[in-house]
């Protein structure tokens, strides 16, 4: 059974850094696309970043240069390193897996990141 | 970057109604279009991929159509559990943008 469990969210001051983790089970994180999607309170879904099977990452313009997606195959874990955090980064962050092409068929429960002074 | 626009933003309907939600891409995306359903406090759920392919386990009252820039999600006969927010997403090129969502409410 595929499972994704995010952790690492919390309250952080503007300008700070945070690393989110997503522990995967039931598949290997290097087997296909892994994605981060976020949702600000009361707002819609925002695509944040993807890492392809070969390791190539892509980012939304809103986080480019500040966020880094990575994976640890030995721990079967996906990460999102978030630097220079802004109040507008406040959101629930979902880790997600695509078993096919790029449609997302498995999602974690989400972890809340609050950026506030 | 490709922009995705959904309409309407909200919709009131009754159980048993047929409902259609539209999604328009700012440029052609072939059939690289996905639909998700999200209920409050929950992660999204994949309903349709590749514009018209029904995800395993999703009821057949959900269907998708379209290609190029214009797409639709249709629910043939609304059930109580279908009241939720629906999002389209393009998977043609990064960034894989979502539409702004359509909130389906009970009339």
């Amino acid at each position: 059974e595929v499972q994704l469990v995010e952790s690492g969210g919390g309250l952080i001051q503007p300008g700070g850094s945070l690393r989110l983790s997503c522990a995967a089970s039931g598949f290997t994180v290097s087997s296909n696309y892994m994605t981060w999607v976020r949702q600000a309170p009361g707002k819609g879904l925002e695509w944040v970043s993807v890492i392809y099977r070969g390791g190539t990452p892509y980012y939304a313009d809103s986080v480019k240069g500040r966020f880094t997606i990575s994976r640890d195959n030995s721990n079967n874990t996906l990460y999102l390193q978030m630097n220079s955090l802004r109040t507008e980064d406040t959101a629930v962050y979902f880790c997600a897996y695509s078993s096919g092409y790029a449609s997302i068929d498995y999602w974690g429960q989400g972890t809340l990141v609050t950026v506030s002074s | 970057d490709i922009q995705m626009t959904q309409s309407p933003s909200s919709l009131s309907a009754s159980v048993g109604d047929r409902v259609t939600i539209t999604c328009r891409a700012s440029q052609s995306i072939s059939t690289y279009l996905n639909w998700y359903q999200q209920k409050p406090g929950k992660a999204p759920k994949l309903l349709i991929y590749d514009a018209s392919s029904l995800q395993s386990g999703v009821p057949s009252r959900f269907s998708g159509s379209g290609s190029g820039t214009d797409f639709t999600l249709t629910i043939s006969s609304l059930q109580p559990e279908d009241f939720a927010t629906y999002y389209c997403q393009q998977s043609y090129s990064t960034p894989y943008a979502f539409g702004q969502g359509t909130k389906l409410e009970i009339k």
Side-chain angles (χ1 to χ4, degrees):
Chain A
E1 180 191 5
V2 170
Q3 281 198 313
L4 298 164
V5 179
E6 301 97 334
S7 61
L11 175 63
I12 187 77
Q13 291 189 336
S17 297
L18 210 56
R19 188 178 80 160
L20 305 183
S21 300
C22 173
S25 58
F27 72 101
T28 56
V29 293
S30 60
S31 64
N32 213 346
Y33 292 32
M34 294 292 299
T35 301
W36 288 98
V37 173
R38 68 184 181 183
Q39 187 168 36
K43 303 297 184 183
L45 302 173
E46 181 185 10
W47 183 89
V48 173
S49 179
V50 67
I51 185 166
Y52 288 172
R53 179 166 34 195
T56 303
Y58 291 93
Y59 302 94
D61 288 346
S62 57
V63 307
K64 200 174 296 181
R66 301 187 299 123
F67 289 12
T68 302
I69 190 172
S70 64
R71 66 190 183 206
D72 182 337
N73 296 339
S74 61
N75 288 325
N76 211 31
T77 300
L78 178 74
Y79 299 102
L80 186 68
Q81 177 67 44
M82 304 185 296
N83 299 330
S84 303
L85 281 161
R86 306 167 179 167
T87 55
E88 56 264 36
D89 295 319
T90 294
V92 173
Y93 284 74
F94 294 101
C95 162
Y97 169 61
S98 303
S99 65
Y101 178 52
S103 57
I104 300 172
D105 44 351
Y106 296 97
W107 297 74
Q109 83 287 354
T111 187
L112 176 62
V113 173
T114 303
V115 184
S116 174
S117 55
Chain B
D1 295 356
I2 299 172
Q3 314 301 321
M4 306 302 293
T5 304
Q6 286 180 235
S7 61
S9 296
S10 63
L11 175 60
S12 295
S14 301
V15 172
D17 284 354
R18 179 184 181 89
V19 166
T20 297
I21 298 169
T22 65
C23 178
R24 175 165 287 176
S26 59
Q27 65 186 73
S28 177
I29 58 170
S30 184
T31 57
Y32 293 98
L33 191 283
N34 312 303
W35 289 99
Y36 301 87
Q37 175 194 68
Q38 188 182 33
K39 296 182 179 179
K42 300 294 187 181
K45 173 187 175 183
L46 178 64
L47 300 176
I48 302 285
Y49 62 96
D50 292 347
S52 60
S53 297
L54 192 67
Q55 174 69 358
S56 175
V58 174
S60 59
R61 62 181 180 271
F62 290 93
S63 63
S65 65
S67 67
T69 61
D70 294 313
F71 303 87
T72 60
L73 172 70
T74 298
I75 309 172
S76 60
S77 178
L78 273 174
Q79 298 302 300
E81 60 268 29
D82 299 337
F83 292 95
T85 301
Y86 293 83
Y87 295 92
C88 63
Q89 182 209 21
Q90 65 87 8
S91 49
Y92 179 79
S93 66
T94 58
Y96 295 136
F98 290 90
Q100 81 278 15
T102 295
K103 187 173 184 178
L104 180 52
E105 299 174 307
I106 301 174
K107 184 182 287 183

